[in-house]
Amino acid sequence: MAIKGVLSGPRTRREILKGASVIGGGMLAMPYLGRLAFAERVELNMLAWYGHAEPDVVAEFEAENNVKFKPKYYTGGDNMLGLIAQSPPGTFDLILSDAEYVQQLNAAGYIEELDPRDYNFDDYFPEFQHFPGHWKDGKLYSVLTRFGFLGVAYNTDAITEKEASTYNVYWADKLKGKVGHFDWHLPNLGQMSLLNGNASPYDIDDAAWKAVQEKTKSLRPQIGGFFDYGGTFSSLQNGQMLAMAGIGDWITGTLERNGAKVRSVIPEEGGLQFTESFSIGKGTQKGELAKKWIQYITSPKGQVKSANMVAYPCLIPNKKGWDLLAKETPEEAKRQGMLLNQSNVMDLIRNGRIKYRQLPVQQSLEDWNDFWSEYKGS
């Protein structure tokens, strides 16, 4: 019997039930994914840096789980906290944050406790299996998904790699008015602290903090602008800025892949590591699906998508992800230094050249933020 015949014309209750039986039988015969097309898609609200809910990352998961991600993008951890504070509980099902903000998210009651047995930490490098700040009193609150290094970003036509191998290059005469800042205090002031010789760049006493401020202020005549995510990309791409403080391969890698003459290097004073992780938002009604997403993006397949993210590439903590990356996109695995059984990016962490970015220890976050605002306005 045709469905059209069942649904057209006056019908008795018996005919309606009979028609419903035919339709139902047909649907049961459909493949599972075909039946999903008739169901309303579940919406997952994600708070994240730009790119994490774009099709190149989420399309496969959306199709397999009948999900549609609804992203709210931010720049900088302070902005992220503000957006959550202004939103009713349960607004965000998934929260991607920088590692140093997880403790604040937890203290404010914004994220759910997670079960570590749900995630394959055994596949991670040892350094990332129990990452600082993600755990409290033996309880897990966030799962590391990707990371990257911050150093000197530079235009390869204007600056040599040797010149870029120290933060002092920012003061070069030829760069006057051509040095930009990614507009966030933590990475920029952390780099200035490294330049001043502080082994723990965010754990400094008042005298060292004053010295960091003075060193930073001396750079102000060189600065051509303070840029958000998009402005950082465009100003490096078009040569408006020849060097950029506060960033690394997460931006220059994307530009370099597209032919721009820019690169990043870890200078002799050392570099910083930013670390991104997913938490489940407090009060979400979609916790199981949110957990499934975290499991997906931290699986080898998901890790390859994360490493190759169109918005900005990153390093990944999953060793099996490294294996798969070397098979699927060997050139990118080589470019980012993620090849096992040879010198790779993990050596930079293990030899002490990389320091984890974190919140100020001996000053308040407001102290650093207030100085940054004054510096910008000077």
Side-chain angles (χ1 to χ4, degrees):
M1 181 185 296
I3 293 178
K4 181 179 179 181
V6 175
L7 298 180
S8 62
R11 292 170 292 163
T12 66
R13 183 173 183 273
R14 181 177 181 182
E15 288 172 331
I16 291 173
L17 292 174
K18 185 177 181 181
S21 176
V22 172
I23 295 171
M27 289 186 69
L28 288 172
M30 293 180 185
Y32 177 69
L33 289 177
R35 297 201 308 276
L36 278 178
F38 287 86
E40 185 177 353
R41 299 178 80 182
V42 177
E43 194 172 80
L44 272 179
N45 291 288
M46 180 194 292
L47 181 63
W49 285 84
Y50 176 74
H52 285 268
E54 296 305 297
D56 62 295
V57 181
V58 303
E60 183 180 71
F61 183 85
E62 287 182 329
E64 291 178 350
N65 296 278
N66 200 38
V67 167
K68 180 63 180 176
F69 281 95
K70 183 180 179 182
K72 177 68 175 179
Y73 291 132
Y74 67 83
T75 299
D78 300 340
N79 181 225
M80 173 202 65
L81 289 173
L83 289 169
I84 299 175
Q86 297 163 18
S87 304
T91 298
F92 301 111
D93 305 303
L94 285 157
I95 298 171
L96 179 106
S97 73
D98 292 282
E100 60 266 36
Y101 284 87
V102 173
Q103 289 176 308
Q104 289 193 322
L105 289 171
N106 189 20
Y110 292 150
I111 54 178
E112 298 280 0
E113 181 186 344
L114 306 177
D115 187 343
R117 295 172 297 182
D118 290 331
Y119 309 99
N120 293 320
F121 287 117
D122 287 345
D123 294 342
Y124 279 31
F125 287 99
E127 290 84 350
F128 303 131
Q129 292 180 4
H130 204 278
F131 199 75
H134 287 182
W135 303 71
K136 183 178 181 181
D137 300 328
K139 297 178 180 179
L140 178 68
Y141 291 90
S142 197
V143 179
L144 193 159
T145 181
R146 64 207 308 257
F147 65 101
F149 301 151
L150 309 175
V152 174
Y154 64 101
N155 183 303
T156 56
D157 278 345
I159 305 170
T160 66
E161 183 174 347
K162 182 178 180 180
E163 289 174 318
S165 294
T166 172
Y167 293 116
N168 286 314
V169 71
Y170 297 147
W171 283 263
D173 289 341
K174 65 180 177 180
L175 296 184
K176 188 175 181 64
K178 292 290 186 178
V179 178
H181 278 299
F182 178 62
D183 192 5
W184 188 16
H185 52 82
L186 282 183
N188 285 282
L189 298 179
Q191 289 186 341
M192 293 299 101
S193 187
L194 285 172
L195 177 57
N196 274 7
N198 296 313
S200 298
Y202 297 95
D203 188 1
I204 55 178
D205 62 21
D206 288 343
W209 167 231
K210 183 178 180 180
V212 166
Q213 294 176 73
E214 293 303 315
K215 188 68 175 180
T216 305
K217 286 190 286 187
S218 74
L219 182 60
R220 190 65 179 86
Q222 297 288 101
I223 301 303
F226 296 80
F227 301 93
D228 61 9
Y229 174 87
T232 300
F233 267 99
S234 60
S235 63
L236 282 173
Q237 186 172 37
N238 62 26
Q240 178 188 359
M241 295 295 117
L242 299 180
M244 188 70 67
I247 65 164
D249 189 70
W250 72 279
I251 282 184
T252 58
T254 301
L255 292 169
E256 188 179 5
R257 288 187 306 190
N258 293 319
K261 295 182 178 181
V262 294
R263 192 168 296 158
S264 292
V265 65
I266 302 302
E268 61 190 31
E269 298 90 358
L272 302 170
Q273 177 179 315
F274 70 87
T275 310
E276 297 178 348
S277 60
F278 271 109
S279 298
I280 296 178
K282 195 78 168 183
T284 177
Q285 301 300 307
K286 304 162 190 171
E288 285 300 312
L289 197 52
K291 178 180 73 176
K292 192 172 184 179
W293 163 254
I294 299 175
Q295 291 171 332
Y296 171 84
I297 200 62
T298 56
S299 70
K301 179 169 60 175
Q303 288 280 274
V304 170
K305 291 184 181 298
S306 189
N308 288 308
M309 182 188 288
V310 171
Y312 61 103
C314 261
L315 306 170
I316 51 177
N318 188 314
K319 291 181 290 185
K320 291 183 178 179
W322 281 39
D323 277 332
L324 188 58
L325 184 70
K327 294 174 183 175
E328 295 196 354
T329 54
E331 290 186 1
E332 185 63 10
K334 181 179 180 180
R335 191 192 71 80
Q336 291 205 54
M338 287 189 285
L339 293 171
L340 296 170
N341 303 317
Q342 60 180 271
S343 179
N344 57 54
V345 294
M346 295 304 297
D347 296 332
L348 291 172
I349 297 174
R350 291 165 180 167
N351 66 21
R353 291 192 64 205
I354 297 295
K355 307 296 182 180
Y356 294 149
R357 194 179 66 199
Q358 61 184 116
L359 300 180
V361 176
Q362 299 187 48
Q363 298 81 40
S364 70
L365 187 60
E366 289 74 20
D367 289 337
W368 283 46
N369 192 34
D370 288 346
F371 168 73
W372 187 247
S373 297
E374 293 170 7
Y375 170 69
K376 288 168 60 178
S378 63

